[in-house]
Amino acid sequence: MAEYKLDCLFEACPIPLLKALKQLEKMSIGDVLIMHTDHNCSIKNVVEWTKKQGHYIDYIEISEGEWEIYIEKAR
Amino acid sequence: MKIYHKIFKKPWPYWVGGIILALLNILMLSITGSAWKVTTGFLFWGAGILEKVGFAPNKWYYFAAYNNGLKDGQSFFMNTYTVINFAVIIGALLAVLWASEFKWKKIKSFRQLGFALLGGILMGYGTRLSFGCNIGAYFSAIPSFSLHGWVFGIFMFVGAAIGCKILYKYLL
């Protein structure tokens, strides 16, 4: 159950989503990925995409216009 | 609080945005006589700056050969494109302020700056070859029953797919 951090600050679509996909590929089941982003599209497209892939996902706004997205690799 | 959260904070579904954009574009067409375009405005700003420093872009073949869309009394800076482009920026600013998500963003690295400039130049060049960006040559072209909108659309998806593959494989 390892934990990985992904810095996606100041990056726009599709960079955060592609970075997350690439990182998830390297992780094993049960590992958690924490994405740090300030791109408000990410809380829509990253969340949608990872849900479609069947992973567990949640996010919170940690300060104005900044989010942490938590993804647990499920398969 | 719940309504505020739903309207200003949470991203709207794509279909809601699509319907609103379509209605606004119809409104724009009926008021100004031309559907929504973006990059032509940037072209005029560039040409206007060149004019200010002594060039004569209005004599260029491009502006002579194609209808430039400027009406009588409009100039490179004072035209409907300028108004709508500023309106888009102001509208986006209001949306992030209402959601209290406004944030100054930094340039992450020299690499990011370089790729952003390169991408911007390629996109700008491309919009002139195709007479518009994804707004003028796609979003406004298809409801105008212009075939070029569909051609643009197909190759936009092809380009995005290739771009993502290159990004994923070599650049990230």
Side-chain angles (χ1 to χ4, degrees):
Chain A
M1 289 263 279
E3 203 178 275
Y4 298 88
K5 285 217 156 110
L6 199 55
D7 170 22
C8 297
L9 283 178
F10 319 123
E11 282 167 347
C13 290
I15 310 278
L17 177 62
L18 292 177
K19 267 187 162 178
L21 293 180
K22 199 162 191 175
Q23 184 62 42
L24 278 168
E25 217 157 72
K26 289 186 221 152
M27 291 161 46
S28 37
I29 290 168
D31 289 354
V32 173
L33 177 64
I34 304 174
M35 280 175 80
H36 190 188
T37 178
D38 58 4
H39 188 51
N40 62 0
C41 297
S42 295
I43 60 166
K44 186 140 179 86
N45 67 11
V46 173
V47 170
E48 253 171 35
W49 188 280
T50 41
K51 262 190 194 155
K52 230 183 250 172
Q53 301 284 312
H55 305 302
Y56 303 109
I57 183 155
D58 205 359
Y59 67 88
I60 53 162
E61 190 170 2
I62 51 172
S63 73
E64 291 198 350
E66 262 182 54
W67 295 268
E68 261 181 7
I69 304 177
Y70 309 94
I71 306 168
E72 187 188 323
K73 187 168 175 164
R75 45 171 216 96
Chain B
M1 201 59 206
K2 233 183 140 191
I3 294 173
Y4 164 82
H5 196 83
K6 221 172 172 176
I7 294 179
F8 294 115
K9 202 78 186 128
K10 280 197 84 167
W12 294 1
Y14 292 122
W15 63 269
V16 173
I19 290 172
I20 294 173
L21 281 173
L23 291 175
L24 288 174
N25 204 11
I26 293 168
L27 199 66
M28 172 127 182
L29 177 64
S30 69
I31 292 172
T32 67
S34 155
W36 184 24
K37 297 187 227 170
V38 174
T39 35
T40 306
F42 298 149
L43 166 74
F44 289 153
W45 292 355
I49 290 167
L50 284 179
E51 204 173 49
K52 284 266 182 295
V53 296
F55 293 89
N58 55 333
K59 302 235 161 54
W60 288 353
Y61 178 73
Y62 180 89
F63 292 104
Y66 306 106
N67 174 18
N68 58 28
L70 286 179
K71 296 184 187 80
D72 281 342
Q74 293 186 337
S75 69
F76 280 141
F77 291 112
M78 297 303 286
N79 52 57
T80 42
Y81 302 99
T82 300
V83 175
I84 196 75
N85 283 348
F86 273 108
V88 167
I89 295 167
I90 292 166
L93 178 66
L94 286 176
V96 285
L97 286 176
W98 277 330
S100 57
E101 288 173 8
F102 182 82
K103 186 172 172 260
W104 292 103
K105 294 187 186 172
K106 285 184 218 144
I107 294 167
K108 192 160 193 162
S109 60
F110 189 72
R111 199 175 122 96
Q112 188 194 39
L113 177 75
F115 275 113
L117 284 176
L118 184 70
I121 290 167
L122 284 174
M123 278 198 284
Y125 190 76
T127 64
R128 285 314 94 203
L129 295 179
S130 60
F131 299 106
C133 57
N134 53 348
I135 303 299
Y138 174 65
F139 174 75
S140 291
I142 287 179
S144 307
F145 297 105
S146 175
L147 179 64
H148 91 290
W150 292 100
V151 178
F152 185 97
I154 291 165
F155 284 97
M156 182 172 68
F157 281 103
V158 172
I162 295 171
C164 282
K165 281 265 174 330
I166 293 172
L167 262 174
Y168 192 85
K169 257 202 139 146
Y170 302 107
L171 297 173
L172 287 181

